[in-house]
Amino acid sequence: MAHHMTTEDVHEYINGVCFKTGPPGKVGTETEWLVADSAHPTAPVAVDRLAALLEAGGPPPAGSAVTFEPGGQIELSSPVLPGPARAHEALAADLDHVSKVLAGGGLHLVETALDPLRPPVRQLRLPRYTAMERFFAGRRQPSGHTMMCSTASLQVCLDTGADRADGRARWELVHRLGPVLVAAFANSAVWRGRPTGWKSTRWAIWAATDAGRTRPVLDTGSHPDPATAWTDYALAADVMAVPEIPGGGGTWTPDPGITLAEWVGGRGPRPLTPADVEFHLSTLFPPVRPRGWWELRMIDAVPRRWWPVPMALCAALVDDPRARAVAEEATEKLCRGPFPDRRLWMRSARLGPGDPAVAECARSCFDAAVEALPRMGAAGLSSLVDDYADRHVRRGLCPADARPSVPAPRPGRVGTRAGRTGTHRHSGGAR
């Protein structure tokens, strides 16, 4: 008979899998891209067409994994490499390869974080995404469908830390950096053909989707150690689906109407297993997600020229001691404490660096990173980060301020529920 996991078992599992410490310095990046047909930009691009093109083009030369998200977005996940310069070199080569392959088939990468025109259409029919879609539909959360099929982000992955104390300090720092990253790289001001009033509508859409699995982990008055905080978050979140066989086999039951804590307490359809906990964790989408490293998920996909900037900025501010000291002081001043509250996250998404306090913090962080990157063997990235800051952050701007011209949409209400924001394999990272 299967062993029924206890709360202590869940905590032990999460602590062992999600919070591995060791010498820091490795960097990984996951870039998601919406794809459009250059001749028919308002038409959906079939994922089978994408898969065939990429298969014929051969694997990326530096080893990045190529996967798809539910709406047909392409994700490139770089190898994990020591330092931002190596990570940049690898992903740049692979992104060039993929872009050329797509161009040969009449396709191009869309340089925004939210599809500005096309309605969301789910293309991947895996049980995971069918269950996810039914979960959001059953709860009358249309933002969930948009989140799955029409958004694109850039995710930076950094080491947990040298030891538990360093890991906790990094955990708090990357949370405080979160609103700054939302603002500095906001790139989704147009949706359904119209400006939304948000610089990062993508963030607003995610924030409107089941707060129990998208809100920041550190958003309450208490902040226990990271493993306890993440365990508490996971236990309180609703279970999205239960496969008949642990690990994904058999019939799937979407939205069984229980939290993970209630499953632990005996209300589930069968005993809880480590495979069930692993799946549940993959359906939680906070802006900082622990996976054995810190996965920073709050950054909008940016125009292709600028994609290395968020990666280089984050690596410098977390891994270079002098830059980290500047970032810790600046973000503590901005947040007025050890972590940001919900209002700061939403302000950053709505105003971007147009918010004076956020802009001041962002300028300090960018300046520190520009100085740090040459010390990290990444002088070329330092110049790119400096150029980005000159064009955007130091002027109180972000990519969303250069709004593309779009055809007039059909009449209809545009809004968000946040204020109210109304084959190749899948990595299991973004959705």
Side-chain angles (χ1 to χ4, degrees), residues 53-54 56-62 66 76 91-103 304:
L53 277 173
L54 294 171
V66 180
L76 269 74
L91 189 52
D94 290 344
L95 186 57
D96 284 346
H97 168 82
V98 167
S99 298
K100 289 174 182 175
V101 170
L102 294 178
R304 184 177 162 193

Side-chain angles (χ1 to χ4, degrees), residues 65-426:
V66 180
T67 56
F68 296 115
E69 296 296 345
Q73 307 97 311
I74 290 178
E75 180 178 80
L76 269 74
S77 302
S78 77
V80 177
L81 294 167
R86 292 275 305 277
H88 170 237
E89 181 182 6
L91 189 52
D94 290 344
L95 186 57
D96 284 346
H97 168 82
V98 167
S99 298
K100 289 174 182 175
V101 170
L102 294 178
L107 304 177
H108 67 272
L109 302 175
V110 179
E111 297 191 330
T112 60
L114 174 64
D115 200 308
L117 283 174
R118 296 173 296 183
V121 177
R122 183 167 69 92
Q123 298 201 49
L124 295 187
R125 296 295 164 186
L126 301 175
R128 170 189 177 93
Y129 298 125
T130 299
M132 186 180 293
E133 188 174 62
R134 290 179 180 172
F135 177 90
F136 293 131
R139 291 167 180 246
R140 297 182 180 179
Q141 293 181 332
S143 57
H145 186 56
T146 303
M147 173 271 282
M148 291 172 63
C149 302
S150 294
T151 63
S153 69
L154 186 149
Q155 298 166 28
V156 179
C157 300
L158 301 171
D159 283 321
T160 301
D163 51 33
R164 293 181 68 87
D166 184 39
R168 177 163 181 161
R170 286 168 176 254
W171 169 253
E172 294 187 358
L173 173 60
V174 293
H175 274 86
R176 292 196 305 273
L177 281 172
V180 179
L181 298 171
V182 170
F185 301 107
N187 187 35
S188 49
V190 176
W191 187 30
R192 300 172 179 169
R194 300 177 182 175
T196 64
W198 294 75
K199 297 299 176 69
S200 179
T201 313
R202 182 195 73 90
W203 173 265
I205 287 169
W206 278 77
T209 303
D210 190 13
R213 61 184 358 96
T214 61
R215 65 174 172 81
V217 177
L218 293 183
D219 74 343
T220 63
S222 62
H223 47 104
D225 72 274
T228 299
W230 184 227
T231 301
D232 291 346
Y233 187 103
L235 288 167
D238 291 326
V239 174
M240 182 172 281
V242 178
E244 181 181 2
I245 301 172
T251 303
W252 287 53
T253 302
D255 195 3
I258 55 173
T259 64
L260 186 66
E262 289 169 337
W263 194 348
V264 170
R267 288 188 55 192
R270 54 172 173 73
L272 180 71
T273 71
D276 296 317
V277 176
E278 179 182 8
F279 172 74
H280 179 67
L281 294 176
S282 78
T283 69
L284 305 180
F285 311 116
V288 179
R289 183 163 70 175
R291 301 184 64 192
W293 58 90
W294 305 135
E295 183 181 72
L296 279 57
R297 306 173 47 82
M298 71 290 291
I299 305 166
D300 274 5
V302 292
R304 184 177 162 193
R305 175 186 179 187
W306 301 119
W307 77 259
V309 176
M311 176 272 296
L313 178 74
C314 294
L317 296 178
V318 175
D319 286 339
D320 179 84
R322 285 158 59 183
R324 177 171 163 179
V326 171
E328 287 175 337
E329 181 179 358
T331 57
E332 284 179 3
K333 178 182 177 183
L334 174 66
C335 298
R336 301 179 181 179
F339 54 87
D341 63 20
R342 183 178 185 274
R343 291 172 297 175
L344 178 57
W345 286 100
M346 302 311 291
R347 220 169 70 216
S348 296
R350 185 183 288 278
L351 301 176
D355 181 282
V358 174
E360 180 184 1
C361 182
R363 288 192 295 269
S364 296
C365 289
F366 271 79
D367 290 347
V370 168
E371 292 182 4
L373 285 163
R375 295 194 293 267
M376 303 173 75
L381 285 174
S382 175
S383 298
L384 188 64
V385 173
D386 198 29
D387 191 13
Y388 184 93
D390 275 345
R391 291 170 182 258
H392 298 96
V393 176
R394 293 175 186 135
R395 299 168 61 195
L397 301 175
C398 57
D401 291 303
R403 291 173 180 160
S405 59
V406 293
R410 296 178 180 178
R413 187 163 74 90
V414 177
T416 58
R417 259 191 71 198
R420 292 190 340 211
T421 4
T423 119
H424 277 60
R425 58 193 172 84
H426 177 265

